[in-house]
Amino acid sequence: QAQLVESGGGLVQAGGSLRLSCAASGITSYDYILGWFRQAPGKERECVAAMSWSGTNIYYADSVKGRSTISREYAKKTVFLQVDSLKPEDTAVYYCAARTRFLLRDFLYRTVGDYDAWGQGTQVTVSS
C-alpha cells in the first residue's frame, strides 16, 4: 500500500511562491505516477498538475497554468509542485496522489478516480 506525505504548505501573501513536496513509500511497482490535486472549501477536488509516466506529457489546470511547475525525482518516488504568483483563490488543501495500477506510459491521468492512493494533504492559505 502506497503512503504519501506532503509538505511545504503554509500561509503566504498574494504574489508569493510555494514549493510543495510529496514523498511516496510502499510503492513496489515500476510503473507508477504521482500527481497533484487540490480541494477548496465547498468545491470538488480537482487536478492541479499531472505528469505522464514517460514525462513527455504534462497537464496543468487552467487556473495555475503559466505559474506552476510539476517535477519529480522518479527513483526517489518524490514529486514537487512549484506555484508562483499565488492568488487568494489558490487557497485549498493540496493533495498528492499516486497511481500504481496498470497505466499507459504517455497518458495523462487527471481525475480523482485515476489514482489509488492519497496523502493527508497540506493546507495552502493565500492572504490578500
Side-chain angles (χ1 to χ4, degrees):
Q1 182 77 18
Q3 296 180 332
L4 310 174
V5 179
E6 304 96 337
S7 61
L11 175 63
V12 186
Q13 285 191 330
S17 298
L18 276 179
R19 187 173 190 247
L20 305 180
S21 301
C22 172
S25 61
I27 296 178
T28 57
S29 172
Y30 177 73
D31 289 345
Y32 77 92
I33 53 171
L34 299 172
W36 285 100
F37 287 72
R38 71 183 181 186
Q39 187 166 20
K43 295 188 176 181
E44 293 187 353
R45 192 171 298 189
E46 62 170 350
C47 183
V48 178
M51 180 184 289
S52 63
W53 180 91
S54 64
T56 57
N57 296 310
I58 294 177
Y59 165 83
Y60 295 105
D62 288 343
S63 55
V64 301
K65 194 175 294 182
R67 56 188 184 93
S68 296
T69 303
I70 184 172
S71 58
R72 69 182 180 187
E73 293 184 17
Y74 189 83
K76 295 183 178 180
K77 297 182 175 60
T78 304
V79 67
F80 307 94
L81 179 68
Q82 174 81 25
V83 185
D84 301 317
S85 302
L86 282 160
K87 306 174 182 180
E89 49 264 45
D90 292 320
T91 295
V93 178
Y94 284 70
Y95 296 91
C96 176
R99 178 182 175 98
T100 59
R101 61 186 187 272
F102 171 79
L103 59 83
L104 299 172
R105 294 185 171 184
D106 290 327
F107 190 79
L108 280 171
Y109 293 89
R110 300 182 288 165
T111 72
V112 171
D114 288 332
Y115 293 81
D116 41 58
W118 296 84
Q120 293 293 325
T122 184
Q123 177 70 47
V124 171
T125 302
V126 183
S127 63
S128 57

